[in-house]
Amino acid sequence: MQVAIDTSEFNYLPAQAQAMGVPVPSVRRVTLPLPDGRHVSALRFGEETPRVTLLHGAGLNAHTWDTTVLALQHPVLAIDLAGHGDSSWRGDVDYSPRTLALDVAAALDAWTDGPQLVVGQSLGGLTGAALAATRPDLVSGLIVVDITPGIDTSAGPAALREFYAGPTDFATRDELVDRAIAFGFGGARSDTERGVFLNTRVRDDGRVEWKHHFAHLAAQTLAAHDPGDVAAPSPLHATGWQDLAETTAAVTLVRALDGFVSEVDAKEFGERLPHARVTAIRATHNVQETAPAELASLISSSLATRGM
């Protein structure tokens, strides 16, 4: 295990914690080499062994959970999925949940010593389901945030495809902030600036580019709502239902009232998984960013239920 020495990515935490009136937890970046030459990276919050693992959605990274982690005040592991954040891109461009879950399993084998409450948003939720189905020993519970298998998210990806259809590199981060705000993806400019900083890197030539591979694949990868088929599943393929059906851990679906999961989708989830809990939070699709306190409270309740 290698620990990164660049801590500039944590410069935003003190101000966020102060605004929330909570202490800043210890945090460090950890990196695990994988057998195929790639690596998986993550943020480890707290000194104790984590019992909560957080998996972000497509086009995001582990820092999307920062505010939720501050609200939670519990040791957690927030993983950068393959092709995102500081984890390696895949040469085969396979970012389907079952493939992503292999790296997550390797990370949990290396960095944890007990089953995790896995919280996955969007693509991370389906990845969590794939992990729970194949490695039940690693998952004590699963919280799926604003996604169901095969969901029609055409409105979201359509806007994202247009957003990423332009250049893949920029002269400054300010250009990206302006572009995000123009497309309606940003909130307050300060929040957008933070998000852009944590999701981009400066190349050797001085140009700024997105860290995640999805931005460089644009329409190809963001057509994730296409059901695909069993031989070539997309990240939102309906075979995710099989993973959920094979999950023995307790499952909770969090529906964002202003997100992607409709009442009909949530009802189908409950009918397919009658033992699952379905709840709703007033938030947009990125619940961890727009309703962090509410999500943290739900996670805390789930931990208490499991005596963790």
Side-chain angles (χ1 to χ4, degrees), residues 1-181:
M1 180 176 70
Q2 300 174 344
V3 180
I5 60 174
D6 180 8
T7 59
S8 62
E9 64 180 303
F10 305 123
N11 286 347
Y12 293 91
L13 284 176
Q16 289 177 273
Q18 183 178 25
M20 298 172 65
V22 298
V24 181
S26 63
V27 58
R28 62 191 186 276
R29 180 167 287 281
V30 292
T31 304
L32 177 71
L34 297 171
D36 62 3
R38 294 180 303 109
H39 63 267
V40 60
S41 188
L43 302 178
R44 184 162 179 167
F45 291 86
E47 296 299 325
E48 298 178 6
T49 302
R51 288 290 180 265
V52 178
T53 290
L54 307 174
L55 306 178
H56 62 76
L60 301 174
N61 60 68
H63 279 292
T64 189
W65 299 101
D66 285 356
T67 311
T68 297
V69 172
L70 289 174
L72 183 61
Q73 291 291 304
H74 193 283
V76 305
L77 185 68
I79 297 177
D80 282 334
L81 297 178
H84 296 76
D86 285 5
S87 291
S88 299
W89 294 1
R90 293 189 61 90
D92 60 5
V93 199
D94 181 1
Y95 296 114
S96 59
R98 291 177 178 179
T99 297
L100 294 173
L102 298 175
D103 288 359
V104 175
L108 296 185
D109 281 334
W111 294 328
T112 68
D113 62 6
Q116 300 289 295
L117 173 60
V118 176
V119 185
Q121 183 257 342
S122 199
L123 176 58
L126 298 184
T127 299
L131 175 72
T134 57
R135 289 293 306 273
D137 58 307
L138 296 176
V139 182
S140 63
L142 175 65
I143 299 178
V144 179
V145 181
D146 206 48
I147 197 69
T148 62
I151 192 174
D152 179 9
T153 59
S154 55
L160 289 173
R161 282 196 296 274
E162 185 178 356
F163 178 68
Y164 290 124
T168 57
D169 62 331
F170 300 82
T172 67
R173 285 189 167 106
D174 278 341
E175 287 187 28
L176 277 171
V177 172
D178 292 340
R179 184 173 175 81
I181 291 175

Side-chain angles (χ1 to χ4, degrees), residues 143-217:
I143 299 178
V144 179
V145 181
D146 206 48
I147 197 69
T148 62
I151 192 174
D152 179 9
T153 59
S154 55
L160 289 173
R161 282 196 296 274
E162 185 178 356
F163 178 68
Y164 290 124
T168 57
D169 62 331
F170 300 82
T172 67
R173 285 189 167 106
D174 278 341
E175 287 187 28
L176 277 171
V177 172
D178 292 340
R179 184 173 175 81
I181 291 175
F183 272 79
F185 295 142
R189 186 174 184 88
S190 60
D191 293 336
T192 306
E193 288 174 347
R194 170 183 170 273
V196 166
F197 177 83
L198 294 172
N199 213 14
T200 58
R201 58 187 166 213
V202 180
R203 300 188 315 217
D204 292 340
D205 63 2
R207 301 285 290 180
V208 176
E209 69 174 3
W210 293 107
K211 283 186 175 182
H212 58 88
H213 204 180
F214 280 25
H216 303 260
L217 301 173

Side-chain angles (χ1 to χ4, degrees), residues 141-144 244 247 249-253 269 273 275-278 306:
L142 175 65
I143 299 178
V144 179
L244 285 166
T247 297
V251 177
T252 297
L253 170 67
F269 192 96
L273 302 168
H275 299 295
R277 175 189 177 192
V278 178
R306 291 164 178 75

